[in-house]
Amino acid sequence: MALPQVAYLLPGSLAVAAAIEPGWQLVAINGVAIGDILDYQLACAESNLAVVWLTPQGDKREIVLTKAIDQDLGIVFTSPTLDQVRVCAQKCLFCFVDQMPPGLRSSLYVKDDDYRLSFLSGSYLSLSNLSSVDLRRIVSLKLSPLYVSVQVGDDDIRHQLLGSPPGRDFWQLFDYLLEGGIDLHCQVVLCPGYNDGAVLVKTVEQLALRRPGVLSLCLVPLGLTAHRQGLAPLRLPTTREAELVLHQVSSWVGEGLTWLWAADEFYLMAKRLDLLPAAEEYAGYEHLENGVGLLRSFLQEWQELHPLPAPRERRSVTIITGNSAAEGLLTVWQELAELLPLQVVAITNHLFGSTVTVAGLVAGGDILAQLPPAQVAGRLLLVPQVMLRQGSELFIDDLTLTQLREQYQAWGAELRAIPATAGGLYAALFPSQPLAGRRRVARRFIYE
């Protein structure tokens, strides 16, 4: 088995101070071999670490570190799990990876389905690849909560929609985790004609019976790209169907099922932003990274930054985003347009297709094609960092922020990537106005 390898170090971290270098491989910590990210996290919970490394030259080096128990070493490995990422064993009709355009970096085609990443970062599990050893480890280490893609309660529809491996009883695995004390956040990707309507009602009933171990449920629409050649015919919800989902969710909440929510995209599809729940109804925004509560969380934080100051300079600003944010945050853009010369450019996604509207999948090439540098000469251009691969300057098409910046600089425009938060936008537009003293929302909010 290959040893975990260092990809890069976080600036100012313990690892930098200890002169650890990219390319080194991790052998052991305090005499214990490190098999995966969970072994690593458990080992790093100690305050005194004797870490053995193997250099690219084949030399072994031991480095002794003293740290706070909760202090991170600041090492990013080449694999997020340190070993091979577990992949999905299902063949879902709506799988987004199967709809990816060709020619992108290889990591984007990995159908990750790893219980370790679910625990550490909130990614969703299908439960399709868990062995008995995995299940026992999850329970023994109390890896709770986990995030599970339920999709549908009916076994026949499950097999039709998900192509579940034979011999795998989803609810048996689900209940094993609950009985082992593992709490579960759940997701249903709604596919019209398959798991919506009466079928969804039954799925929610099955989850309600498993409370309180089932902590929450979010309903999200399927994502369809322009690259579905040879795949089963699917469609997006209609405006009316999206509105019916919202009314069903509102009815459930009225009956006391306050632990389930619809994704923001349903409110945009239904053109019913007036039905968006209040901030307190999202119970801590548990499914924020899944597009549930993004709009409300941004609007909440934005209101907490009021009153807005008058800008000290009226520089022309262009905010670059996806169609969802351009529409969902219209009140914010209108308010800013009264203070400064503002342009909001919603980039149509030609790489994936126009039905993909989130900012996080906007390609650098689409920005350049739809916003020629000559058209924004002298302006300040702002893009949300969610468009870039985490920890890098890469857009999803591998064009870099620096490459775009050079194109716009030739016309006197300044391109900046800013945190995709209300505070990040405020700091970019009002740099001379400190945020200190204003009440801030502690959680990271993304506008997509």
Side-chain angles (χ1 to χ4, degrees):
M1 181 180 294
L3 296 173
Q5 183 173 316
V6 177
Y8 61 91
L9 311 176
L10 300 180
S13 63
L14 255 179
V16 170
I20 296 167
E21 297 181 9
W24 286 16
Q25 293 178 295
L26 177 59
V27 178
I29 299 179
N30 291 341
V32 177
I34 303 300
D36 69 358
I37 186 63
L38 297 180
D39 293 339
Y40 176 75
Q41 295 279 8
L42 288 169
C44 288
E46 301 292 333
S47 56
N48 297 303
L49 306 179
V51 188
V52 177
W53 298 94
L54 182 66
T55 72
Q57 293 75 34
D59 301 323
K60 278 192 176 181
R61 298 188 186 180
E62 181 175 277
I63 295 179
V64 178
L65 301 171
T66 301
K67 66 178 196 64
I69 290 178
D70 60 351
Q71 185 177 7
D72 185 71
L73 299 186
I75 301 172
V76 177
F77 292 89
T78 54
S79 167
T81 59
L82 275 63
D83 61 355
Q84 191 170 359
V85 174
R86 307 284 184 88
V87 297
C88 185
Q90 293 184 160
K91 298 185 184 300
C92 300
L93 299 185
F94 56 86
C95 179
F96 197 82
V97 176
D98 288 340
Q99 307 175 67
M100 293 284 286
L104 302 180
R105 55 181 175 268
S106 59
S107 61
L108 294 172
Y109 300 96
V110 176
K111 299 182 182 182
D112 59 280
D113 188 14
D114 200 301
Y115 72 89
R116 298 163 299 182
L117 297 181
S118 182
F119 173 67
L120 294 171
S121 59
S123 60
Y124 286 88
L125 294 173
S126 69
L127 307 186
S128 66
N129 61 11
L130 293 179
S131 67
S132 57
V133 173
D134 296 329
L135 290 165
R136 288 195 295 270
R137 190 186 191 201
I138 290 169
V139 171
S140 66
L141 292 179
K142 297 298 180 187
L143 302 184
S144 180
L146 293 179
Y147 293 74
V148 177
S149 288
V150 174
Q151 315 305 24
V152 62
D154 184 280
D155 288 338
D156 291 335
I157 297 176
R158 169 173 294 278
H159 183 71
Q160 183 183 6
L161 184 61
L162 310 180
S164 299
R168 303 289 290 184
D169 186 320
F170 173 83
W171 289 113
Q172 183 178 4
L173 299 171
F174 193 91
D175 290 337
Y176 178 91
L177 294 173
L178 290 176
E179 291 163 6
I182 307 302
D183 292 330
L184 303 175
H185 291 290
C186 301
Q187 166 190 263
V188 168
V189 178
L190 283 181
C191 302
Y194 285 93
N195 60 347
D196 55 352
V199 177
L200 175 62
V201 172
K202 291 182 180 179
T203 302
V204 170
E205 289 174 350
Q206 287 174 288
L207 292 173
L209 291 173
R210 290 168 166 83
R211 291 274 292 165
V214 170
L215 297 179
S216 66
L217 169 65
C218 67
L219 309 178
V220 301
L222 76 167
L224 299 180
T225 79
H227 304 274
R228 286 193 58 81
Q229 292 80 3
L231 300 177
L234 293 174
R235 63 174 178 83
L236 294 174
T238 64
T239 299
R240 178 58 180 158
E241 287 170 335
E243 189 168 17
L244 287 174
V245 169
L246 298 182
H247 286 306
Q248 181 65 78
V249 169
S250 178
S251 175
W252 279 322
V253 171
E255 295 168 6
L257 279 66
T258 56
W259 42 274
L260 60 83
W261 303 274
D264 293 6
E265 209 166 343
F266 280 114
Y267 294 90
L268 292 167
M269 287 178 170
K271 304 185 186 304
R272 294 300 306 268
L273 291 179
D274 59 303
L275 296 178
L276 206 64
E280 59 270 17
E281 295 179 52
Y282 281 104
Y285 296 106
E286 191 56 55
H287 293 274
L288 195 68
E289 302 294 338
N290 207 27
V292 179
L294 285 169
L295 293 175
R296 177 56 70 197
S297 63
F298 190 100
L299 293 169
Q300 176 194 9
E301 185 185 20
W302 186 250
Q303 286 303 310
E304 291 170 353
L305 295 171
H306 281 59
L308 298 179
R312 301 225 176 145
E313 57 175 316
R314 288 180 57 82
R315 185 176 184 184
S316 297
V317 176
T318 296
I319 295 175
I320 304 168
T321 187
N323 284 290
S324 292
E327 180 183 352
L329 299 177
L330 184 60
T331 57
V332 173
W333 313 139
Q334 290 172 336
E335 182 180 21
L336 286 172
E338 295 177 0
L339 297 175
L340 46 80
L342 181 73
Q343 173 191 36
V344 177
V345 176
I347 301 297
T348 299
N349 198 318
H350 293 309
L351 178 65
F352 286 91
S354 60
T355 56
V356 177
T357 60
V358 296
L361 293 177
V362 168
D366 279 339
I367 294 175
L368 269 178
Q370 296 171 50
L371 194 64
Q375 290 185 9
V376 289
R379 300 180 71 93
L380 171 62
L381 313 179
L382 303 177
V383 298
Q385 288 174 351
V386 71
M387 289 184 182
L388 306 175
R389 185 181 186 183
Q390 189 172 8
S392 81
E393 282 198 338
L394 290 176
F395 288 89
I396 197 162
D397 58 356
D398 286 348
L399 203 63
T400 69
L401 185 67
T402 295
Q403 289 171 322
L404 256 68
R405 184 178 287 130
E406 290 171 349
Q407 294 280 337
Y408 289 109
Q409 277 179 341
W411 289 85
E414 178 188 358
L415 177 66
R416 288 188 212 162
I418 64 172
T421 66
L425 180 61
Y426 180 99
L429 297 178
F430 310 108
S432 60
Q433 304 294 326
L435 287 170
R438 295 176 181 269
R439 189 165 74 86
R440 298 295 309 284
V441 179
R443 184 140 189 177
R444 171 175 173 260
F445 298 139
I446 299 174
Y447 56 94
E448 292 192 339

